Amino acid sequence: MARLHLFDLDGTLLHGTSAPVEISRQLGLEAETVALDREISAGLIGPPEYATRVHALWADLTEAHVAAAFEGAPWLARIRDVWAEIRGRGDYCAVVSLSPSFFVERLTGWGAHAAHGSRFPAVPFTEPVDPTGVLSAAAKVRIADRLCEEFGVARADCVAYGDSLSDKDLFGAVPVSVAVNADNHVAGLATHSYKGMDLWEAYELVRHGR
């Protein structure tokens, strides 16, 4: 049976930051978005309010800003190598993130079979964000189940990689999980734990398991 590897983005593939912070850095609004990240991490606001507020900050956002944020972000090393290895073994890899879809979906170009993020309008924005399209921790599990059906695998064949509260539900739903530079919300829940800057080293913890 093939395996499905499910990767979080913010704080996991991106080291010590989030896609919204990297996008906002291009607009000189990093501090405002770091403050929002703190609020959602502490549970003071939920994903829909976060999305609405960050969307308002990005009134002047362009595709050039998004591309620069993606290219300049502090990614873990060897992401593409890991995904090439997964594909070569006949397994599947996907990214599931609460961050905006227009950023997350760029990772299919690095070899992810699928990439799902919160649904935002096209950049530059001419319409508001629809709160019903904003993902949550529970939505990550629903998406994982849809991907399992699409790829013909079971939850029992899934591996989740994450770092924070938004990954808690998924870690509880699949049998194998890797906490990557994780906070206290998931560090104690994971099957394995990794701290560092190289995704291959995190992947090695589960590479030979079935």
Side-chain angles (χ1 to χ4, degrees):
M1 175 69 76
R3 288 199 298 175
L4 171 58
H5 296 258
L6 298 155
F7 296 88
D8 174 54
L9 174 63
D10 302 323
T12 303
L13 298 178
L14 287 174
H15 185 260
T17 187
S18 68
V21 168
E22 295 307 304
I23 293 165
S24 293
R25 181 174 288 122
Q26 301 298 318
L27 298 167
L29 297 168
E30 178 184 357
E32 290 86 342
T33 309
V34 167
L36 283 177
D37 277 8
R38 289 198 190 104
E39 287 188 55
I40 195 168
S41 294
L44 300 176
I45 60 174
E49 182 178 351
Y50 179 96
T52 300
R53 289 170 63 181
V54 81
H55 174 274
L57 286 176
W58 294 341
D60 298 323
L61 188 65
T62 67
E63 275 291 340
H65 290 130
V66 178
F70 187 89
E71 291 162 12
W75 299 99
L76 291 194
R78 295 200 280 178
I79 293 172
R80 280 171 276 200
D81 293 342
V82 169
W83 293 350
E85 158 88 358
I86 289 170
R87 281 177 169 270
R89 293 165 65 96
D91 292 337
Y92 300 94
C93 51
V95 182
V96 185
S97 169
L98 274 58
S99 276
S101 52
F102 60 77
F103 189 96
V104 180
E105 289 167 3
R106 288 173 173 262
L107 287 165
T108 58
W110 285 13
H113 286 93
H116 293 272
S118 292
R119 192 168 63 248
F120 270 63
V123 176
F125 299 142
T126 57
E127 54 189 88
V129 65
D130 180 357
T132 64
V134 177
L135 300 188
S136 64
K140 285 190 171 189
V141 179
R142 293 195 295 272
I143 291 170
D145 284 340
R146 289 208 307 267
L147 290 170
C148 283
E149 184 175 353
E150 179 181 342
F151 297 136
V153 302
R155 274 195 192 181
D157 303 302
C158 290
V159 182
Y161 304 74
D163 75 303
S164 64
L165 187 60
S166 72
D167 304 301
K168 187 174 181 179
D169 288 11
L170 188 57
F171 275 30
V174 303
V176 180
S177 53
V178 183
V180 180
N181 298 314
D183 65 20
N184 58 0
H185 291 110
V186 296
L189 300 175
T191 316
H192 305 278
S193 185
Y194 171 73
K195 290 189 180 298
M197 291 288 292
D198 190 333
L199 187 63
W200 187 277
E201 294 174 354
Y203 170 61
E204 279 280 9
L205 298 173
V206 297
R207 183 182 178 200
H208 299 295
R210 299 308 298 178

